[in-house]
């Protein structure tokens, strides 16, 4: 039986109070989620010796999360996760311009995306349900979008994240969670020796601004081939133009089936298996962590100290007709489910 607890987590400068909801499962894991950005603040799971460790990067206080330097640690990102080229797209013959917050492009919903909003929260069966209403025109996106994200933790140390959204006007929706993982424990150092397997035979190469070119390129014969387990850092510095473009791995994979990825940490014995209903998975290897941020452990987060595996539709889909559609119309319901299952491997 999962216990559910809500405690204060400080307040914003305007006095708005932020809550931390903690789920503790019978399997030994516990997960804390903030109403700021529907953000996963910590995930404690046992290692092979039964010792609990926090495997999610994050901050000990509200100030860390509201700092502009926060790179989306643990956040629910939207209304459109990942990038939109040129900060513009066309729907039903009308062009919409959205906030450009990464050069000329839009990243993770704009300057004030879902990650920088206060969500309402209520207890759900074995978890917490967080809700946010995004008004028509927010960051330039059309339609009032009602969004709920439900986090549940079962007795097998599996964290379920279920997304739902509706709109009163045709729009685009692409939601994900942006937790940075280190299965050895946050702040423990590099994840280069973590073993990664991704269930994908193709990925979407990017241009110099990290916008997909539209090609679905085979991973075979490249450093992007994780169909069998490879250490994350094994080929990170290979001479490959796509590694140069992203300063490492920052690419979307075209998934096969529902088991997206498996990650193993040889030191702790922890394993993370990700299952999803989404067609894509963005693999990001913490390329832009620069040591300026200190997390819940008080230690610095440096380049390569974590990885993110963001289940999603493909980047820039509104401008790429060959990609799976992210259009949501009135009367339809956007649904998406991702499961993070924690276990021990031998």
């Amino acid at each position: 039986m999962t216990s559910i607890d809500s405690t204060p987590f400080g307040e914003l400068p305007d006095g708005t109070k932020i809550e931390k909801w903690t789920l503790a499962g019978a399997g030994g894991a516990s997960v804390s989620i903030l109403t700021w950005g529907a953000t996963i603040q910590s995930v404690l799971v046992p290692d092979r010796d039964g010792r609990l460790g926090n495997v999610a990067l994050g901050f000990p206080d509200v100030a860390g999360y509201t700092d502009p330097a926060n790179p989306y640690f643990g956040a629910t990102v939207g209304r459109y996760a990942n990038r939109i080229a040129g900060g513009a797209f066309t729907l039903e013959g009308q062009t919409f311009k959205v906030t450009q917050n990464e050069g000329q492009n839009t990243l993770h919903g704009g300057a004030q995306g879902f990650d920088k909003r206060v969500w309402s929260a209520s207890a759900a069966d074995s978890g917490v349900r967080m809700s946010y209403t995004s008004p028509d025109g927010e960051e330039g996106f059309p339609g009032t979008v009602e969004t709920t994200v439900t986090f549940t933790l079962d007795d097998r140390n599996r964290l379920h994240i279920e997304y739902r959204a509706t709109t009163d006007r045709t729009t685009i929706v692409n939601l994900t969670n942006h937790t940075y993982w280190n299965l050895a424990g946050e702040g423990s150092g590099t994840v280069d020796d973590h073993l990664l397997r991704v269930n994908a035979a193709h990925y979407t190469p990017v241009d110099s601004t990290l916008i997909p070119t539209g090609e679905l390129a085979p991973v075979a014969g490249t450093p992007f081939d994780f169909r069998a387990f490879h250490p994350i850092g094994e080929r990170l510095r290979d001479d490959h133009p796509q590694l140069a473009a992203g300063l490492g791995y920052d690419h979307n994979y075209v998934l096969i089936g529902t088991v997206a990825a498996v990650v193993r940490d040889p030191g702790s014995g922890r394993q993370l298996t990700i299952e999803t209903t989404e067609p894509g998975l963005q693999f990001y290897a913490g390329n832009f962590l620069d040591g300026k941020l200190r997390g819940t452990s008080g230690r610095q987060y440096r380049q390569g100290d974590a990885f993110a595996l963001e289940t999603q539709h493909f980047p820039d889909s509104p401008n790429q007709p060959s990609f799976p559609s992210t259009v949501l119309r009135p009367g339809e319901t956007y649904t998406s489910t991702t499961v993070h299952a924690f276990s021990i491997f031998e």
Side-chain angles (χ1 to χ4, degrees):
M1 181 70 178
T2 299
S3 68
I4 306 168
D5 184 46
S6 174
T7 57
F9 192 75
E11 58 184 48
L12 303 180
D14 66 2
T16 301
K17 297 185 185 304
I18 303 301
E19 302 169 355
K20 178 170 75 172
W21 288 70
T22 299
L23 316 177
S30 66
V31 180
S32 292
I33 305 112
L34 307 177
T35 52
W36 174 260
T39 293
I40 294 175
Q41 190 254 349
S42 67
V43 178
L44 274 67
V45 293
D47 66 9
R48 63 164 60 93
D49 298 316
R51 295 174 298 198
L52 289 176
N54 178 18
V55 297
L57 274 60
F59 298 109
D61 52 36
V62 171
Y65 288 99
T66 57
D67 188 326
N70 171 23
Y72 305 96
F73 282 155
T76 296
V77 292
R79 169 179 319 190
Y80 195 93
N82 218 306
R83 296 173 174 88
I84 298 175
F89 58 91
T90 300
L91 273 179
E92 298 177 337
Q94 182 177 352
T95 297
F96 295 91
K97 295 187 179 299
V98 290
T99 306
Q100 297 167 309
N101 62 319
E102 190 188 56
Q104 295 299 305
N105 300 326
T106 300
L107 176 65
H108 293 329
Q112 299 291 320
F114 285 11
D115 62 295
K116 298 177 180 66
R117 306 294 179 177
V118 180
W119 294 57
S120 61
S122 60
D125 185 25
S126 299
V128 58
R129 180 176 295 107
M130 297 203 173
S131 303
Y132 175 67
T133 299
S134 175
D136 181 36
E138 184 173 71
E139 296 297 296
F141 291 94
T144 298
V145 171
E146 304 278 354
T147 304
T148 62
V149 183
T150 304
F151 302 86
T152 57
L153 181 65
D154 67 22
D155 59 6
R156 295 169 55 192
N157 292 345
R158 297 183 302 179
L159 173 64
H160 302 248
I161 308 177
E162 298 181 7
Y163 307 84
R164 293 177 64 89
T166 59
T167 183
D168 63 357
R169 182 182 176 191
T170 301
T171 190
I172 56 172
V173 173
N174 187 28
L175 306 177
T176 193
N177 178 269
H178 206 300
T179 296
Y180 289 62
W181 304 102
N182 184 325
L183 298 183
E186 66 82 28
S188 65
T190 178
V191 295
D192 280 359
D193 63 345
H194 280 43
L195 302 173
L196 172 65
R197 187 177 73 205
V198 178
N199 192 16
H202 295 82
Y203 75 107
T204 52
V206 295
D207 64 18
S208 61
T209 69
L210 301 182
I211 295 295
T213 62
E215 178 188 7
L216 304 184
V219 300
T222 78
F224 295 87
D225 191 350
F226 285 94
R227 290 174 295 176
F229 282 109
H230 285 275
I232 288 175
E234 178 183 26
R235 299 163 296 176
L236 190 58
R237 289 167 178 80
D238 283 10
D239 183 16
H240 191 283
Q242 283 296 303
L243 290 175
L247 297 182
Y249 296 109
D250 193 2
H251 295 76
N252 170 68
Y253 281 79
V254 181
L255 295 177
I256 304 169
T258 59
V259 178
V262 180
V263 192
R264 293 174 170 175
D265 171 40
S268 68
R270 294 187 182 102
Q271 175 172 288
L272 169 61
T273 301
I274 298 177
E275 300 179 39
T276 188
T277 58
E278 289 296 293
L281 180 77
Q282 185 82 7
F283 170 39
Y284 171 59
N287 312 335
F288 299 102
L289 298 175
D290 58 8
K292 294 178 181 177
L293 300 176
R294 293 182 182 273
T296 48
S297 61
R299 299 188 182 98
Q300 289 177 309
Y301 293 151
R302 297 181 181 273
Q303 186 180 47
D305 278 359
F307 62 91
L309 293 168
E310 306 153 58
T311 57
Q312 57 169 18
H313 271 57
F314 300 174
D316 198 37
S317 290
N319 295 311
Q320 310 246 8
S322 64
F323 287 179
S325 175
T326 55
V327 174
L328 180 66
R329 297 178 174 85
E332 299 176 342
T333 301
Y334 167 96
T335 60
S336 175
T337 300
T338 293
V339 179
H340 296 80
F342 297 92
S343 60
I344 302 299
F345 73 97
E346 300 299 330

